[in-house]
Amino acid sequence: MQQPKNVSNFPKHFLWGAATAAHQVEGNTHNQWSIWELENAKAKAAQAEYHYHDFPSWERVKADAKDPSNYVSGNLANHYGRYKEDFDFLEKMHMNAYRFSIEWSRIEPTEGSWSAAAITHYKEYIAELKRRGIEPVVTLLHFTHPVWFAEKGGFEHRRNNRYFVRYAEKIMAELGNGIRYVVTINEPEVYSYASYSMQEWPPAQSSRWKTWLTVRNQLAAHKQAYKAIKALNPRFKVGIAKNSVYFYPGDTAWLSRVSAGFMQWLQDDVHLRTIRRQSDFLGLNYYMSQRVFGYRMHNPENADRSDLGWTVSPGDIEYVLQRWHDRYQKPILITENGIADGTDELRQEWIKATVVALQHALDDGIEVIGYLHWSLMDNFEWAYGKWPRFGLVAIDYKTGNRTLRPSAAWFGRVIKKLRGV
Ligand code: BGC
């Protein structure tokens, strides 16, 4: 395995950090997801063996996966109350950036009424980061909707976009001073696909039309919010966070090459093309690549897998960066990247290969402005619940104890060296 170069080619202001999302760490949120969790926890626990028995981690995680409480976010590690302790870990790892999301359902619990307490909370949260010299990267919407918004049909109706835009304006006007980087919406197409095609997330419907419609409406909402936020202050850097799997042909056959190219286009360009003019940067969430034979995905059988069964191909991020750079010529912020690895056996190699890939990308003149690891801490992994462990910081949900994983301590030393601090 290639080692990161000792001489740093990272720009001085490169953002080194980690990411979280409100519903996945804060605890005690009340939104369309928390309601759905309570309704579905028992069924999910009962079906766990059927769905997940072929995961490499199954023997290790099955007790948790079969427990209904795994599927209810509940108090989690109470990041809402204990965020200062969690920020200590950012400092321990010499990080200078942190991505988090604001929970809309806390800010606007009922339609049109703003919670002063929640606004104050996030103001203090951001001020605390600034005090520590950590650049906040704020996400306005990360999959969770206030109940009243979901009841109106959420992004199924274009007319509902105005509620999101009003919230975006409000929050930026209130919190704006300390903020430069804003992600409007996290992974619009992943949300739509999981919620309206796969039926894995609320409202768990099966409709190709609604899948398409909700993606288009979210992209339109991004554009509207972009305009509103830039009108408040043109200095804000606004973008979305976009998931990208790297698809590559497994052989030289014409069909494999065309299929891989088509899948990449469908996943990336259909969406990015729409918002390129309303993006000051592109946020990239990279987790895996997929090998394509003919028109089907078929990955190497004997390769490493994460606890979720995902292929472990961190270095392929380089190809996504290259492709996005060639097509869009925008600064790229890696808004998420990481691995579900409860035993912490693969994470260090993952990060190492990623840093090498970033160094190659920078050498090739690609403007990568930061790397935010997913995740700062173990969290609520949506339909899978609490057992997948993405954290640099391990959480014991029984005691609330937090501990830095060995790979994270190592990463901290690498950041220190590369930042020259
Ligand atoms: C999401 C995160 C999630 C991560 C790992 C991304 O798609 O933005 O919320 O935890 O992937 O699955």
Side-chain angles (χ1 to χ4, degrees):
M1 150 107 34
Q2 228 181 331
Q3 300 294 320
K5 284 190 284 196
N6 270 329
V7 186
S8 179
N9 58 348
F10 288 92
K12 193 167 178 311
H13 298 293
F14 192 84
L15 300 174
W16 285 106
T20 58
H23 185 73
Q24 296 181 269
V25 291
E26 283 187 351
N28 297 318
T29 49
H30 178 67
N31 51 41
Q32 104 281 25
W33 252 99
S34 61
I35 290 177
W36 191 78
E37 289 161 18
L38 293 171
E39 290 166 358
N40 289 277
K42 267 200 191 140
K44 290 198 73 62
Q47 294 157 7
E49 178 137 24
Y50 173 76
H51 287 303
Y52 311 137
H53 68 273
D54 57 352
F55 283 179
S57 56
W58 177 245
E59 286 305 317
R60 182 166 27 93
V61 304
K62 67 181 177 193
D64 286 337
K66 289 177 174 182
D67 178 352
S69 71
N70 171 68
Y71 301 94
V72 179
S73 53
N75 190 40
L76 288 173
N78 184 22
H79 175 70
Y80 198 76
R82 297 177 60 175
Y83 64 88
K84 288 185 188 161
E85 285 169 66
D86 299 331
F87 292 173
D88 289 346
F89 289 105
L90 294 170
E91 286 194 88
K92 273 193 193 126
M93 290 183 282
H94 308 281
M95 290 177 166
N96 61 353
Y98 176 58
R99 175 180 175 224
F100 61 94
S101 75
I102 297 201
E103 180 60 31
W104 182 7
S105 63
R106 289 192 195 274
I107 299 289
E108 193 179 0
T110 53
E111 186 187 336
S113 68
W114 309 107
S115 157
I119 291 172
T120 304
H121 168 86
Y122 287 112
K123 274 187 181 161
E124 286 171 3
Y125 189 95
I126 290 167
E128 183 64 29
L129 287 170
K130 303 285 281 185
R131 258 197 295 283
R132 296 170 188 242
I134 295 170
E135 178 77 42
V137 177
V138 180
T139 305
L140 299 177
L141 191 70
H142 198 122
F143 300 154
T144 48
H145 303 165
V147 176
W148 60 265
F149 180 72
E151 281 171 356
K152 286 179 187 289
F155 289 107
E156 289 170 30
H157 308 291
R158 180 68 64 100
R159 64 172 180 275
N160 288 347
N161 279 7
R162 65 197 149 121
Y163 299 111
F164 173 70
V165 177
R166 184 178 63 178
Y167 151 72
E169 263 181 322
K170 172 74 179 172
I171 210 73
M172 293 311 294
E174 291 279 358
L175 311 178
N177 284 341
I179 297 172
R180 202 141 55 104
Y181 293 98
V182 187
V183 172
T184 53
I185 302 183
N186 184 68
E187 299 186 346
E189 86 291 0
V190 172
Y191 162 78
S192 294
Y193 186 64
S195 302
Y196 291 97
S197 281
M198 299 298 285
Q199 298 172 267
E200 282 173 357
W201 296 1
Q205 295 181 18
S206 172
S207 158
R208 281 204 191 143
W209 166 240
K210 282 190 184 173
T211 306
W212 173 249
L213 192 66
T214 52
V215 179
R216 299 315 287 176
N217 287 345
Q218 286 179 90
L219 293 176
H222 162 79
K223 290 203 224 177
Q224 293 165 269
Y226 179 92
K227 213 167 140 202
I229 296 169
K230 296 295 266 194
L232 283 174
N233 186 342
R235 280 186 56 252
F236 289 134
K237 302 267 180 233
V238 187
I240 64 162
K242 167 87 184 67
N243 178 62
S244 187
V245 169
Y246 178 63
F247 295 98
Y248 64 96
D251 57 18
T252 53
W254 175 84
L255 186 58
S256 307
R257 284 184 287 129
V258 170
S259 302
F262 175 71
M263 289 177 191
Q264 200 74 48
W265 173 82
L266 195 63
Q267 177 206 242
D268 286 353
D269 304 310
V270 169
H271 312 297
L272 290 176
R273 266 191 335 192
T274 315
I275 53 157
R276 70 190 305 168
R277 279 193 293 123
Q278 292 82 15
S279 297
D280 299 323
F281 63 89
L282 301 178
L284 167 62
N285 294 355
Y286 174 82
Y287 287 95
M288 66 177 114
S289 57
Q290 297 275 16
R291 190 176 66 175
V292 180
F293 278 119
Y295 53 86
R296 272 199 295 237
M297 286 184 276
H298 188 271
N299 285 300
E301 308 261 313
N302 50 3
D304 280 341
R305 301 273 167 163
S306 78
D307 289 350
L308 284 166
W310 299 357
T311 60
V312 180
S313 40
D316 288 350
I317 192 174
E318 194 180 332
Y319 305 120
V320 178
L321 292 170
Q322 184 75 58
R323 193 172 177 281
W324 282 20
H325 173 75
D326 291 347
R327 299 206 166 205
Y328 301 102
Q329 299 284 323
K330 298 267 180 185
I332 302 172
L333 175 60
I334 297 163
T335 33
E336 284 180 34
N337 173 267
I339 180 166
D341 179 22
T343 56
D344 203 37
E345 279 162 25
L346 299 172
R347 193 172 284 103
Q348 182 171 324
E349 290 304 313
W350 172 284
I351 297 172
K352 196 183 284 176
T354 304
V355 172
V356 170
L358 296 183
Q359 289 182 324
H360 290 165
L362 291 169
D363 282 346
D364 290 343
I366 300 172
E367 194 184 349
V368 186
I369 56 175
Y371 172 81
L372 306 169
H373 189 86
W374 185 270
S375 173
L376 172 61
M377 53 204 280
D378 288 339
N379 57 51
F380 185 73
E381 179 53 28
W382 306 113
Y384 297 109
K386 282 172 261 191
W387 69 258
R389 303 289 180 150
F390 276 92
L392 292 167
V393 175
I395 301 290
D396 178 338
Y397 285 112
K398 290 203 182 80
T399 60
N401 283 349
R402 287 117 157 100
T403 36
L404 198 65
R405 291 205 158 97
S407 59
W410 171 86
F411 186 31
R413 292 193 293 276
V414 171
I415 295 176
K416 184 172 190 312
K417 202 162 70 186
L418 293 174
R419 284 187 62 207
V421 289

PDB file of all heavy atoms in Angstrom, residues 85-99:
ATOM      1  N   GLU A  85     -17.875  18.214  24.834  1.00  0.00           N
ATOM      2  CA  GLU A  85     -16.981  17.048  24.978  1.00  0.00           C
ATOM      3  C   GLU A  85     -16.620  16.490  23.609  1.00  0.00           C
ATOM      4  O   GLU A  85     -15.495  16.061  23.376  1.00  0.00           O
ATOM      5  CB  GLU A  85     -17.694  15.917  25.724  1.00  0.00           C
ATOM      6  CG  GLU A  85     -17.845  16.089  27.188  1.00  0.00           C
ATOM      7  CD  GLU A  85     -18.804  15.024  27.723  1.00  0.00           C
ATOM      8  OE1 GLU A  85     -18.462  13.829  27.667  1.00  0.00           O
ATOM      9  OE2 GLU A  85     -19.911  15.407  28.168  1.00  0.00           O
ATOM     10  N   ASP A  86     -17.608  16.473  22.729  1.00  0.00           N
ATOM     11  CA  ASP A  86     -17.357  15.905  21.395  1.00  0.00           C
ATOM     12  C   ASP A  86     -16.417  16.795  20.577  1.00  0.00           C
ATOM     13  O   ASP A  86     -15.591  16.300  19.819  1.00  0.00           O
ATOM     14  CB  ASP A  86     -18.685  15.649  20.662  1.00  0.00           C
ATOM     15  CG  ASP A  86     -19.552  14.656  21.430  1.00  0.00           C
ATOM     16  OD1 ASP A  86     -18.966  13.804  22.140  1.00  0.00           O
ATOM     17  OD2 ASP A  86     -20.789  14.733  21.362  1.00  0.00           O
ATOM     18  N   PHE A  87     -16.544  18.097  20.774  1.00  0.00           N
ATOM     19  CA  PHE A  87     -15.624  19.013  20.079  1.00  0.00           C
ATOM     20  C   PHE A  87     -14.182  18.836  20.574  1.00  0.00           C
ATOM     21  O   PHE A  87     -13.234  19.104  19.847  1.00  0.00           O
ATOM     22  CB  PHE A  87     -16.052  20.477  20.259  1.00  0.00           C
ATOM     23  CG  PHE A  87     -17.350  20.838  19.564  1.00  0.00           C
ATOM     24  CD1 PHE A  87     -17.932  22.092  19.752  1.00  0.00           C
ATOM     25  CD2 PHE A  87     -17.990  19.946  18.706  1.00  0.00           C
ATOM     26  CE1 PHE A  87     -19.123  22.446  19.121  1.00  0.00           C
ATOM     27  CE2 PHE A  87     -19.178  20.285  18.055  1.00  0.00           C
ATOM     28  CZ  PHE A  87     -19.744  21.538  18.277  1.00  0.00           C
ATOM     29  N   ASP A  88     -14.030  18.394  21.841  1.00  0.00           N
ATOM     30  CA  ASP A  88     -12.667  18.139  22.347  1.00  0.00           C
ATOM     31  C   ASP A  88     -11.939  17.150  21.437  1.00  0.00           C
ATOM     32  O   ASP A  88     -10.730  17.258  21.220  1.00  0.00           O
ATOM     33  CB  ASP A  88     -12.703  17.542  23.766  1.00  0.00           C
ATOM     34  CG  ASP A  88     -13.135  18.572  24.812  1.00  0.00           C
ATOM     35  OD1 ASP A  88     -13.146  19.775  24.487  1.00  0.00           O
ATOM     36  OD2 ASP A  88     -13.471  18.155  25.945  1.00  0.00           O
ATOM     37  N   PHE A  89     -12.695  16.168  20.920  1.00  0.00           N
ATOM     38  CA  PHE A  89     -12.054  15.161  20.059  1.00  0.00           C
ATOM     39  C   PHE A  89     -11.578  15.772  18.746  1.00  0.00           C
ATOM     40  O   PHE A  89     -10.564  15.363  18.200  1.00  0.00           O
ATOM     41  CB  PHE A  89     -13.018  13.996  19.794  1.00  0.00           C
ATOM     42  CG  PHE A  89     -13.249  13.141  21.006  1.00  0.00           C
ATOM     43  CD1 PHE A  89     -14.434  13.224  21.723  1.00  0.00           C
ATOM     44  CD2 PHE A  89     -12.269  12.255  21.436  1.00  0.00           C
ATOM     45  CE1 PHE A  89     -14.645  12.439  22.849  1.00  0.00           C
ATOM     46  CE2 PHE A  89     -12.470  11.461  22.555  1.00  0.00           C
ATOM     47  CZ  PHE A  89     -13.660  11.555  23.272  1.00  0.00           C
ATOM     48  N   LEU A  90     -12.352  16.752  18.233  1.00  0.00           N
ATOM     49  CA  LEU A  90     -11.897  17.425  17.005  1.00  0.00           C
ATOM     50  C   LEU A  90     -10.530  18.051  17.257  1.00  0.00           C
ATOM     51  O   LEU A  90      -9.616  17.948  16.436  1.00  0.00           O
ATOM     52  CB  LEU A  90     -12.891  18.520  16.596  1.00  0.00           C
ATOM     53  CG  LEU A  90     -14.291  18.078  16.167  1.00  0.00           C
ATOM     54  CD1 LEU A  90     -15.217  19.297  16.041  1.00  0.00           C
ATOM     55  CD2 LEU A  90     -14.253  17.340  14.827  1.00  0.00           C
ATOM     56  N   GLU A  91     -10.412  18.683  18.408  1.00  0.00           N
ATOM     57  CA  GLU A  91      -9.129  19.331  18.737  1.00  0.00           C
ATOM     58  C   GLU A  91      -8.019  18.311  18.942  1.00  0.00           C
ATOM     59  O   GLU A  91      -6.893  18.517  18.506  1.00  0.00           O
ATOM     60  CB  GLU A  91      -9.295  20.193  19.984  1.00  0.00           C
ATOM     61  CG  GLU A  91     -10.066  21.463  19.688  1.00  0.00           C
ATOM     62  CD  GLU A  91      -9.929  22.459  20.829  1.00  0.00           C
ATOM     63  OE1 GLU A  91      -8.968  23.241  20.809  1.00  0.00           O
ATOM     64  OE2 GLU A  91     -10.790  22.433  21.743  1.00  0.00           O
ATOM     65  N   LYS A  92      -8.389  17.201  19.591  1.00  0.00           N
ATOM     66  CA  LYS A  92      -7.364  16.151  19.805  1.00  0.00           C
ATOM     67  C   LYS A  92      -6.820  15.654  18.477  1.00  0.00           C
ATOM     68  O   LYS A  92      -5.664  15.260  18.386  1.00  0.00           O
ATOM     69  CB  LYS A  92      -7.989  14.965  20.551  1.00  0.00           C
ATOM     70  CG  LYS A  92      -7.948  15.127  22.034  1.00  0.00           C
ATOM     71  CD  LYS A  92      -8.274  13.817  22.758  1.00  0.00           C
ATOM     72  CE  LYS A  92      -8.523  14.149  24.199  1.00  0.00           C
ATOM     73  NZ  LYS A  92      -9.798  13.677  24.726  1.00  0.00           N
ATOM     74  N   MET A  93      -7.671  15.644  17.460  1.00  0.00           N
ATOM     75  CA  MET A  93      -7.229  15.158  16.136  1.00  0.00           C
ATOM     76  C   MET A  93      -6.678  16.294  15.268  1.00  0.00           C
ATOM     77  O   MET A  93      -6.468  16.101  14.084  1.00  0.00           O
ATOM     78  CB  MET A  93      -8.379  14.436  15.438  1.00  0.00           C
ATOM     79  CG  MET A  93      -8.730  13.102  16.092  1.00  0.00           C
ATOM     80  SD  MET A  93     -10.034  12.217  15.207  1.00  0.00           S
ATOM     81  CE  MET A  93     -11.499  13.087  15.755  1.00  0.00           C
ATOM     82  N   HIS A  94      -6.492  17.471  15.876  1.00  0.00           N
ATOM     83  CA  HIS A  94      -5.917  18.629  15.162  1.00  0.00           C
ATOM     84  C   HIS A  94      -6.769  19.067  13.977  1.00  0.00           C
ATOM     85  O   HIS A  94      -6.243  19.546  12.967  1.00  0.00           O
ATOM     86  CB  HIS A  94      -4.476  18.325  14.701  1.00  0.00           C
ATOM     87  CG  HIS A  94      -3.618  17.817  15.816  1.00  0.00           C
ATOM     88  ND1 HIS A  94      -3.064  18.660  16.752  1.00  0.00           N
ATOM     89  CD2 HIS A  94      -3.254  16.556  16.161  1.00  0.00           C
ATOM     90  CE1 HIS A  94      -2.391  17.938  17.633  1.00  0.00           C
ATOM     91  NE2 HIS A  94      -2.502  16.669  17.298  1.00  0.00           N
ATOM     92  N   MET A  95      -8.064  18.856  14.080  1.00  0.00           N
ATOM     93  CA  MET A  95      -8.948  19.200  12.967  1.00  0.00           C
ATOM     94  C   MET A  95      -9.281  20.693  12.985  1.00  0.00           C
ATOM     95  O   MET A  95      -9.342  21.310  14.057  1.00  0.00           O
ATOM     96  CB  MET A  95     -10.226  18.371  13.041  1.00  0.00           C
ATOM     97  CG  MET A  95      -9.957  16.904  12.716  1.00  0.00           C
ATOM     98  SD  MET A  95     -11.410  15.880  12.871  1.00  0.00           S
ATOM     99  CE  MET A  95     -10.851  14.394  12.022  1.00  0.00           C
ATOM    100  N   ASN A  96      -9.518  21.245  11.804  1.00  0.00           N
ATOM    101  CA  ASN A  96      -9.871  22.665  11.723  1.00  0.00           C
ATOM    102  C   ASN A  96     -11.225  22.890  11.054  1.00  0.00           C
ATOM    103  O   ASN A  96     -11.536  23.994  10.619  1.00  0.00           O
ATOM    104  CB  ASN A  96      -8.775  23.443  10.982  1.00  0.00           C
ATOM    105  CG  ASN A  96      -8.600  22.954   9.552  1.00  0.00           C
ATOM    106  OD1 ASN A  96      -9.199  21.961   9.163  1.00  0.00           O
ATOM    107  ND2 ASN A  96      -7.780  23.642   8.773  1.00  0.00           N
ATOM    108  N   ALA A  97     -12.020  21.809  10.927  1.00  0.00           N
ATOM    109  CA  ALA A  97     -13.346  21.957  10.318  1.00  0.00           C
ATOM    110  C   ALA A  97     -14.295  20.895  10.868  1.00  0.00           C
ATOM    111  O   ALA A  97     -13.849  19.821  11.303  1.00  0.00           O
ATOM    112  CB  ALA A  97     -13.245  21.805   8.806  1.00  0.00           C
ATOM    113  N   TYR A  98     -15.564  21.210  10.839  1.00  0.00           N
ATOM    114  CA  TYR A  98     -16.566  20.259  11.342  1.00  0.00           C
ATOM    115  C   TYR A  98     -17.879  20.498  10.612  1.00  0.00           C
ATOM    116  O   TYR A  98     -18.369  21.621  10.541  1.00  0.00           O
ATOM    117  CB  TYR A  98     -16.758  20.458  12.846  1.00  0.00           C
ATOM    118  CG  TYR A  98     -17.849  19.600  13.457  1.00  0.00           C
ATOM    119  CD1 TYR A  98     -17.806  18.211  13.353  1.00  0.00           C
ATOM    120  CD2 TYR A  98     -18.915  20.183  14.155  1.00  0.00           C
ATOM    121  CE1 TYR A  98     -18.805  17.424  13.911  1.00  0.00           C
ATOM    122  CE2 TYR A  98     -19.901  19.396  14.731  1.00  0.00           C
ATOM    123  CZ  TYR A  98     -19.842  18.023  14.611  1.00  0.00           C
ATOM    124  OH  TYR A  98     -20.825  17.249  15.160  1.00  0.00           O
ATOM    125  N   ARG A  99     -18.409  19.421  10.051  1.00  0.00           N
ATOM    126  CA  ARG A  99     -19.707  19.521   9.373  1.00  0.00           C
ATOM    127  C   ARG A  99     -20.788  18.921  10.272  1.00  0.00           C
ATOM    128  O   ARG A  99     -20.603  17.826  10.820  1.00  0.00           O
ATOM    129  CB  ARG A  99     -19.663  18.769   8.040  1.00  0.00           C
ATOM    130  CG  ARG A  99     -21.007  18.723   7.355  1.00  0.00           C
ATOM    131  CD  ARG A  99     -20.990  17.968   6.021  1.00  0.00           C
ATOM    132  NE  ARG A  99     -22.346  17.877   5.516  1.00  0.00           N
ATOM    133  CZ  ARG A  99     -22.894  16.798   4.991  1.00  0.00           C
ATOM    134  NH1 ARG A  99     -22.199  15.678   4.853  1.00  0.00           N
ATOM    135  NH2 ARG A  99     -24.158  16.801   4.590  1.00  0.00           N
TER     136      ARG A  99
END
